[in-house]
């Protein structure tokens, strides 16, 4: 995720206003507020040229402009073609103009005269809303691509079976059924992960925080992963002391299971995975260490992003969706903690996360 603060502070603003005194005052106030005014133009056509040239983060648009294109048409063009969010600054409170303006999905509508503070607040809200909309549409486009891949293969396999051409080829038919079945499982995992992450990130999940024994949470996660570890000939070692932690037990176990599953998936057979927990100052620190393939230095942060996998074909073949660590990060952040990974290529990785010892809301 981009750092919202840095984007907002360095935001580039395009001013489209045909009254020189007003545009001059606007520029003054914006610069005093710390924005970069990247262009000031007086017509719809020039606004489009300027948008191509300076790529502003936001445009302030007067509605009534001289020339062939009015502010509403120019705004519509800028938003649809260049995804530039628009704030109308206008003297028109006319219902019909408002209705027309609303159809262009503006991010704000300020009636002149307004105070610089009002402008500042409107810009901030607009930039933040635009950023979350961009993130959401990027997520939807990647997610639908991810969902389409197994669906296409299921569709193909079932189509072949249904056509009857494999009637006398039971081996091929069986292979097609296996493909359809394993891709169906992948589809279910993807849908579950996407829905879980969406709920977590839109703050629709309320944590049920209680006092628990951290060692017990680790034990439950180990029990869940034991069979899969044994199948991969991997031993899960633990050295656990009883420590109190104030957390949502299901969510912490979910996080630990995700981390153990990664550790097992990216480790060679016969190796060991270790789980530890300790108290450092006023935090409980959980760690999952492996002796696996490791993670390149430049990927240590990006793997916490959605659908971010170092070796996509290997991870997908192992059943991964690329959403596990994003889900873990969201859970830990909601607990007020941090999650990070340290790793040496070909030697192994350690993923750690912290949970503040006390309820940070009630400190
Ligand atoms: N313990 C680990 N060792 C090596 N690589 C890892 C480890 N944990 C995570 N990764 C890398 O981070 C990526 C993202 O992890 P995750 O979000 O859990 O997705 P998934 O496991 O579904 O692929 C993995 O695909 C892998 O490339
Ligand atoms: Mg995973």
């Amino acid at each position: 995720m981009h750092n919202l603060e840095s984007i907002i502070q360095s935001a580039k603003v395009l001013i489209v206003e045909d009254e020189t005194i007003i545009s001059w005052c606007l520029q003054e106030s914006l610069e005093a507020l710390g924005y970069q005014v990247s262009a000031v133009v007086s017509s719809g056509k020039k606004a489009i040229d300027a948008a191509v040239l300076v790529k502003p983060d936001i445009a302030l648009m007067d509605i009534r402009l001289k020339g062939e294109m009015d502010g509403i048409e120019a705004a519509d063009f800028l938003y649809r073609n260049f995804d530039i969010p628009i704030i109308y600054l206008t003297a028109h409170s006319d219902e019909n103009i408002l209705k027309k303006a609303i159809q262009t999905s503006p991010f704000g509508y300020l009636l002149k005269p307004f105070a610089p503070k009002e402008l500042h607040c409107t810009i901030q809200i607009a930039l933040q809303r635009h950023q979350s909309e961009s993130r959401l549409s990027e997520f939807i486009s990647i997610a639908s691509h991810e969902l389409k891949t197994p669906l296409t293969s299921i569709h193909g396999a079932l189509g072949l079976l249904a056509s009857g051409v494999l009637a006398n080829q039971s081996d091929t038919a069986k292979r097609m059924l296996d493909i359809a079945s394993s891709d169906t499982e992948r589809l279910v995992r993807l849908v579950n992960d996407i829905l879980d992450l969406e709920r977590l990130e839109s703050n629709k999940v309320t944590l049920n925080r209680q006092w628990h024994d951290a060692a017990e949470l680790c034990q439950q996660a180990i029990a869940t992963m034991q069979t899969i570890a044994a199948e991969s000939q991997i031993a899960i070692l633990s050295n656990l002391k009883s420590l109190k932690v104030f957390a949502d037990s299901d969510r912490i176990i979910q996080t630990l299971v995700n981390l153990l599953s990664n550790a097992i998936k990216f480790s060679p057979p016969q190796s060991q995975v270790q789980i530890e927990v300790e108290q450092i100052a006023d935090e409980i620190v959980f760690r999952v260490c492996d002796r696996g393939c490791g993670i390149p230095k430049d990927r240590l942060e990006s793997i916490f992003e959605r659908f971010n996998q170092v070796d996509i074909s290997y991870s997908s073949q192992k059943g991964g969706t690329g959403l596990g660590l994003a889900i873990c990060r969201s859970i830990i952040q909601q607990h007020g903690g941090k999650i990070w990974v340290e790793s040496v290529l070909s030697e192994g990785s350690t993923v750690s996360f912290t949970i503040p010892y006390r309820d940070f809301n009630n400190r």
Side-chain angles (χ1 to χ4, degrees):
M1 185 174 157
H2 294 293
N3 182 340
L4 191 61
E5 223 162 275
S6 70
I7 284 193
I8 286 184
Q9 273 167 10
S10 60
K12 289 193 286 182
V13 184
L14 166 66
I15 300 177
V16 191
E17 168 63 69
D18 61 358
E19 283 193 47
T20 324
I21 297 194
I22 299 185
S23 59
W24 185 78
C25 289
L26 266 174
Q27 179 164 9
E28 284 274 287
S29 339
L30 287 169
E31 286 174 352
L33 289 163
Y35 295 98
Q36 282 182 60
V37 175
S38 43
V40 183
V41 297
S42 58
S43 76
K45 280 253 175 322
K46 285 184 190 153
I48 292 165
D49 293 342
V52 175
L53 217 63
V54 300
K55 299 193 172 59
D57 298 308
I58 193 158
L60 305 181
M61 181 73 69
D62 186 18
I63 288 186
R64 186 158 295 169
L65 293 170
K66 293 186 197 90
E68 14 183 314
M69 197 179 229
D70 70 12
I72 293 180
E73 288 168 82
D76 197 35
F77 193 92
L78 290 186
Y79 183 54
R80 277 182 206 279
N81 294 285
F82 306 124
D83 192 30
I84 297 169
I86 306 294
I87 296 174
Y88 288 114
L89 309 180
T90 174
H92 299 284
S93 53
D94 188 301
E95 282 292 312
N96 284 331
I97 292 185
L98 178 63
K99 259 191 211 149
K100 235 180 112 191
I102 284 174
Q103 282 167 7
T104 65
S105 318
F107 284 68
Y109 195 99
L110 278 173
L111 285 180
K112 299 181 211 172
F114 46 80
K117 265 261 165 272
E118 286 175 76
L119 177 62
H120 180 50
C121 296
T122 306
I123 295 179
Q124 295 289 305
I125 290 171
L127 287 171
Q128 177 161 29
R129 203 188 106 204
H130 185 245
Q131 195 181 52
S132 51
E133 281 181 10
S134 308
R135 276 168 47 76
L136 184 66
S137 65
E138 184 195 17
F139 181 49
I140 290 174
S141 98
I142 303 179
S144 30
H145 174 80
E146 292 288 326
L147 293 172
K148 250 192 233 159
T149 315
L151 257 182
T152 310
S153 128
I154 295 166
H155 184 234
L158 294 181
L160 268 178
L161 285 167
S163 73
V165 294
L166 303 178
N168 300 321
Q169 303 177 41
S170 62
D171 281 358
T172 318
K174 165 90 175 50
R175 217 168 50 240
M176 288 299 135
L177 268 181
D178 286 346
I179 291 175
S181 151
S182 84
D183 276 314
T184 305
E185 281 170 24
R186 176 169 177 76
L187 208 52
V188 170
R189 270 197 308 275
L190 267 167
V191 170
N192 285 340
D193 280 0
I194 289 171
L195 292 179
D196 197 23
L197 189 59
E198 198 281 323
R199 274 166 45 78
L200 280 163
E201 295 210 334
S202 56
N203 292 325
K204 285 186 195 132
V205 172
T206 319
L207 294 181
N208 174 17
R209 295 185 78 173
Q210 312 265 342
W211 286 107
H212 293 282
D213 181 352
E216 207 142 286
L217 302 182
C218 293
Q219 289 297 2
Q220 288 194 43
I222 296 172
T224 305
M225 290 310 294
Q226 203 60 268
T227 315
I228 291 174
E231 277 167 12
S232 312
Q233 300 170 48
I234 286 170
I236 306 178
L237 309 180
S238 60
N239 180 12
L240 302 166
K241 304 190 278 291
S242 190
L243 283 171
K244 275 172 71 183
V245 63
F246 192 70
D248 184 321
S249 56
D250 288 346
R251 290 296 185 177
I252 299 299
I253 293 168
Q254 181 185 2
T255 305
L256 290 167
V257 164
N258 262 331
L259 300 183
L260 285 173
S261 125
N262 282 347
I264 293 166
K265 190 157 60 177
F266 299 103
S267 291
Q270 316 286 340
S271 68
Q272 294 171 342
V273 166
Q274 173 117 11
I275 182 165
E276 301 169 354
V277 56
E278 65 174 318
Q279 182 171 353
I280 299 179
D282 58 356
E283 291 178 325
I284 300 293
V285 185
F286 292 82
R287 277 191 212 98
V288 174
C289 320
D290 64 61
R291 297 294 177 93
C293 61
I295 300 158
K297 240 195 167 90
D298 63 346
R299 300 299 293 273
L300 293 177
E301 287 186 18
S302 62
I303 53 166
F304 289 92
E305 305 280 329
R306 309 181 267 208
F307 296 118
N308 206 306
Q309 298 172 311
V310 175
D311 179 344
I312 294 172
S313 64
Y314 178 80
S315 296
S316 306
Q317 178 202 323
K318 289 273 187 171
T321 62
L323 292 171
L325 287 178
I327 292 174
C328 294
R329 182 176 63 177
S330 189
I331 291 173
I332 299 311
Q333 283 177 346
Q334 289 202 33
H335 279 84
K338 292 187 300 288
I339 182 164
W340 70 96
V341 58
E342 289 148 293
S343 182
V344 177
L345 266 184
S346 318
E347 285 187 18
S349 313
T350 298
V351 185
S352 314
F353 67 88
T354 60
I355 300 292
Y357 183 62
R358 292 196 298 161
D359 182 4
F360 63 101
N361 286 322
N362 295 336
R363 258 184 205 175

